Amino acid sequence: MRSVSPPQLRLLGRFRLELGAEPVELCRNGQRLLAFMGLRGQVSRTVLAGTLWPEVTEEHARGSLRTTLWKLPRGEPPLIGCCGDSLLVTPALRVDVHILAQTALDVVGDRGRPFHAWPSLELLTGEDLLPGWDEDWVLVERERLRQLRLHALDTLAEILIGQGRTALAMEAAWAGVRAEPLRESAHRAIVSAHLAEGNLSEAVRHYDAFCRSLDEELGVTPSPRFARMLLERLPARTTPRGRDRLRERFR
């Protein structure tokens, strides 16, 4: 007996609902309703109607909600169920946002796992939540996911450096820089990886480039922590004269 694929809701990038591995077309209101429910899991009818149709009366908003629910594709179990005045998503629905969030939280919260258990970078990078959607509830969730991704990439780079996997650490750090070019923690990870490989000139060159970018964009300098990290992790072969030069430079 052939198994049926669970329903899938993709919110990273373009909205996509799949039932039985086949894409399903929804009207705009249906997409908005499923996206909101997919993110929240369970919501009261009042909150859902007021969020999706904020410019109309409560009665009109509830009517629009009923119409949109009626137009959703039928299935067993239904995508959206009822529990008193609340609506809830079927547990069978797989939402890519939750997979990403759990992956990032696992990285940030459990640093002791062996390397082979860590996720590939593809799970921590990729498209933003529903690009082009500008509702407030989307913007808030998009920023939450962005920050979670960035912290996970920082942590992953740090762990990989500690394990001596500097090339992979560099990939994680550069992914963070691409997402947020002026994020200091990502640049610190790149410099740290260079230092772990003994490439002092590349570490200093990257630090200098970051200094210029910060000055041009924001008119500020890197944190004292960044310069201190450089000085504390100088290769053992650095001569006393060289150390004095670098201390003067990064003071």
Side-chain angles (χ1 to χ4, degrees), residues 1-213:
M1 183 176 181
R2 192 174 69 176
S3 61
V4 178
S5 299
Q8 308 241 7
L9 181 60
R10 304 182 188 277
L11 303 178
L12 298 172
R14 180 174 170 270
F15 179 97
R16 181 181 175 92
L17 173 67
E18 295 179 2
L19 298 178
E22 294 294 328
V24 177
E25 294 296 326
L26 293 179
C27 65
R28 176 64 173 176
N29 279 339
Q31 291 183 9
R32 293 168 67 239
L33 187 152
L34 267 186
F36 190 87
M37 291 296 303
L39 291 170
R40 300 294 181 88
Q42 180 171 345
V43 188
S44 73
R45 290 176 180 268
T46 301
V47 170
L48 183 57
T51 301
L52 298 185
W53 294 277
E55 305 299 328
V56 300
T57 64
E58 181 178 346
E59 181 180 359
H60 189 172
R62 280 182 168 263
S64 297
L65 175 58
R66 286 192 297 271
T67 300
T68 305
L69 286 169
W70 182 80
K71 290 182 178 180
L72 289 180
R74 302 290 188 267
E76 189 57 44
L79 290 174
I80 305 295
C82 299
C83 181
D85 188 52
S86 294
L87 298 174
L88 61 161
V89 175
T90 174
L93 183 65
R94 295 184 179 177
V95 185
D96 59 356
V97 166
H98 299 320
I99 297 172
L100 165 64
Q102 190 57 58
T103 298
L105 288 171
D106 286 346
V107 171
V108 173
D110 189 0
R111 302 181 177 209
R113 289 182 297 171
F115 172 78
H116 62 78
W118 291 101
S120 63
L121 283 179
E122 286 77 6
L123 291 175
L124 297 177
T125 57
E127 295 186 82
D128 285 335
L129 173 71
L130 297 170
W133 293 33
D134 59 0
E135 287 96 333
D136 288 344
W137 55 273
V138 176
L139 298 179
V140 169
E141 191 67 16
R142 186 183 296 152
E143 179 60 17
R144 181 187 79 86
L145 289 171
R146 189 180 78 88
Q147 290 296 331
L148 192 53
R149 275 173 154 167
L150 290 172
H151 280 92
L153 288 168
D154 287 347
T155 302
L156 186 58
E158 177 186 327
I159 294 169
L160 290 168
I161 290 169
Q163 296 177 344
R165 299 175 179 268
T166 51
L168 291 175
M170 200 82 75
E171 283 296 306
W174 273 112
V177 169
R178 285 192 294 272
E180 182 51 70
L182 297 181
R183 185 177 175 85
E184 181 178 306
S185 54
H187 288 278
R188 284 201 305 267
I190 291 173
V191 169
S192 183
H194 283 313
L195 291 174
E197 294 176 331
N199 296 325
L200 178 59
S201 63
E202 292 191 48
V204 172
R205 183 164 57 248
H206 188 90
Y207 177 84
D208 286 343
F210 180 59
C211 288
R212 289 193 298 272
S213 296

